[in-house]
Amino acid sequence: MRIPDNYRNNNPYRLIFGFHWRGGTANDVDSGGTSGFTWSYYGLRQLANNTAIFVAPQGLNNGWANSGGEDLTFVDDMIRLIEADLCVDTTQRFAGGFSYGGGMSYALACARATVFRAVAVYSGAQLSGCSGGTQPVAYIGLHGLRDNVLNISLGRSLRDTFVRNNGCTPQNPPEPAQGSMTHIVTAYSGCRSGYPVVWAAFDGGHAPGPVDGSTADDGARTWTKGVVWNFFNQFQGTNDATPPTAPAGLAASGITAGGTDLSWTASTDDVGVTGYDILRAPGATGGTFAQAGTSATTSFSDTGLTPSTTYRYQVRARDAAGNLSPVSNTVQVTTSGGTTTGTCTATPTVQTQWGAGYVIQPLTITNTSTSTITGWTVTFTLPAGHTLTGSWNATVTTSGQTVTAKSMSFNGTLAPGAGTTSLGFQAGRPDGNTALPSGYTCTSP
């Protein structure tokens, strides 16, 4: 069990169970295996940022057969014991697991729909039973098209149970093409308020941590942890009324013709800060601050700005209950002069980052011209001391700190207004350096 570093016994916390796979252990879930902290509890512990209590149960014979309902009783008894000793928001219990652990999470969705707020099933099947199975519960399923252990049809069947229970509009959600090594996330429409269903299909095998553009199962780089955390994080408790403190020391660096890097000092909160809103206003005075983006860390790269133009920025923090902090100090930025090609844009998204590195996924390329382009080239600058450690779905070269990424045969042709999200990269950096790449430009032949 992992208790938040800043735990206080008068503030309610989320309670999240992580169930291991067949032959796995509670320690495997807790430690994150070879990926370490970035994959602890399927990556959710890092993203929760001390806002949740995490529990990794150990199944009998390293599995979750749930004979006679014994594993359900085990979970009931754990909840009773934990909540007798710790401060838990009883409206914010969650469960997730891979393979056999996914089967156990599904069994809880069936039998304990009024106990758990939501469940996540990674490459699961009905392996631990489904007692009941008629009540709604928020449900997210993730499954690989080429799963040769538990066929994706089994995962679709689990999903469809809660499509029915939750009153969602039935559909055959889109799934990626074989060989694309990408993923597609679909949120069902028409579901009862508070009971969403999400399906994430990926072109891969039996794995909880797939990486787009790769055959790797890597907890440090996978997109699944962000998708599942966002699904869980949308459900907010009602017991926390204290907002975070204002972020401090907002500063700008790496100013280019089209962007700037922002950094600030973390806010504090009685339960925990879950993210930051970045606010931007035009000009040195006047104008209205509007949200330009969000960040789960204390840094943000704003791109797509106009050359030789002045902007003002503020930042505010959010906690798990949706409370907003006062805004930070204001920082003013004037972009340098420059020209744009008008043919395409490159927009980076920080999927995850840790002390010594980060993953940009997707790096979205959009055709902004009025005619089809048949290729693109993106350049950007790595901060000093940063090194590129991996990339996918682009031909990449580096010269000093300048990175050049060129399209491949399957993602270079874009119709007007169309885009591709298939590419991304991973970089290493000196531990504690929170800077991010800047100066993204996109050109086409």
Side-chain angles (χ1 to χ4, degrees):
M1 184 165 62
R2 296 282 180 171
I3 299 172
D5 295 339
N6 57 354
Y7 175 80
R8 296 177 62 185
N9 61 10
N10 61 346
N11 288 292
Y13 293 84
R14 289 187 176 100
L15 179 61
I16 302 178
F17 286 85
F19 293 92
H20 62 74
W21 47 98
R22 181 175 183 177
T25 67
N27 183 66
D28 291 333
V29 173
D30 178 79
S31 70
T34 57
S35 297
F37 178 65
T38 61
W39 190 233
S40 178
Y41 293 88
Y42 300 102
L44 302 186
R45 184 172 157 225
Q46 178 190 34
L47 297 178
N49 193 25
N50 286 304
T51 62
I53 298 166
F54 285 91
V55 180
Q58 177 62 46
L60 294 171
N61 301 312
N62 299 97
W64 301 103
N66 193 29
S67 301
E70 62 186 358
D71 292 333
L72 292 172
T73 301
F74 179 33
V75 174
D76 293 340
D77 290 345
M78 281 189 288
I79 291 175
R80 189 177 302 111
L81 179 66
I82 293 165
E83 295 182 359
D85 189 52
L86 298 174
C87 189
V88 172
D89 185 342
T90 58
T91 68
Q92 296 284 289
R93 304 186 191 104
F94 302 89
F98 166 60
S99 195
Y100 219 151
M104 184 61 199
S105 300
Y106 177 73
L108 288 169
C110 291
R112 299 293 186 268
T114 60
V115 175
F116 285 86
R117 185 66 186 86
V119 300
V121 176
Y122 302 77
S123 303
Q126 188 170 320
L127 305 171
S128 308
C130 179
S131 176
T134 60
Q135 294 179 288
V137 68
Y139 185 91
I140 178 170
L142 309 93
H143 218 112
L145 296 177
R146 294 180 280 116
D147 192 327
N148 61 0
V149 178
L150 298 173
N151 189 275
I152 191 172
S153 63
L154 301 174
R156 294 174 184 140
S157 177
L158 304 191
R159 171 202 71 197
D160 290 345
T161 296
F162 290 97
V163 170
R164 292 189 297 271
N165 292 355
N166 297 6
C168 308
T169 303
Q171 64 165 296
N172 291 317
E175 295 176 349
Q178 293 267 357
S180 66
M181 290 190 293
T182 60
H183 71 279
I184 297 177
V185 179
T186 301
Y188 276 74
S189 62
C191 305
R192 287 178 52 183
S193 178
Y195 296 98
V197 172
V198 168
W199 177 244
F202 58 93
D203 179 36
H206 192 62
V211 177
D212 279 352
S214 169
T215 58
D217 180 22
D218 187 343
R221 295 190 290 143
T222 185
W223 50 268
T224 63
K225 56 188 177 184
V227 168
V228 173
W229 174 249
N230 289 338
F231 185 76
F232 283 177
N233 196 42
Q234 69 182 302
F235 307 110
Q236 302 295 340
T238 59
N239 298 319
D240 180 11
T242 305
T245 61
L250 177 62
S253 62
I255 301 169
T256 65
T260 184
D261 298 328
L262 302 172
S263 61
W264 56 91
T265 301
S267 300
T268 59
D269 186 67
D270 54 358
V271 175
V273 174
T274 58
Y276 297 88
D277 298 331
I278 292 80
L279 310 176
R280 184 181 66 209
T285 59
T288 301
F289 280 93
Q291 186 165 314
T294 62
S295 176
T297 66
T298 56
S299 62
F300 179 77
S301 292
D302 196 18
T303 59
L305 304 180
T306 303
S308 303
T309 303
T310 298
Y311 300 89
R312 304 189 316 281
Y313 291 92
Q314 296 173 340
V315 176
R316 65 188 178 197
R318 290 176 279 104
D319 65 15
N323 298 312
L324 296 175
S325 76
V327 296
S328 68
N329 60 295
T330 301
V331 65
Q332 182 173 305
V333 168
T334 300
T335 55
S336 59
T339 59
T340 59
T341 64
T343 57
C344 57
T345 59
T347 305
T349 299
V350 179
Q351 182 188 83
T352 185
Q353 57 179 315
W354 56 101
Y358 49 90
V359 174
I360 302 296
Q361 166 65 31
L363 177 55
T364 304
I365 309 302
T366 304
N367 179 4
T368 57
S369 71
T370 58
S371 60
T372 297
I373 61 175
T374 58
W376 44 259
T377 299
V378 173
T379 61
F380 57 91
T381 302
L382 294 173
H386 292 216
T387 57
L388 199 70
T389 59
S391 62
W392 44 95
N393 292 347
T395 302
V396 175
T397 58
T398 59
S399 176
Q401 296 305 110
T402 300
V403 179
T404 301
K406 295 186 176 182
S407 58
M408 303 185 78
S409 59
F410 65 88
N411 61 7
T413 301
L414 298 174
T420 178
T421 60
S422 63
L423 67 150
F425 64 90
Q426 180 172 341
R429 62 186 176 192
D431 201 2
N433 182 324
T434 59
L436 291 167
S438 60
Y440 290 88
T441 63
C442 182
T443 58
S444 65

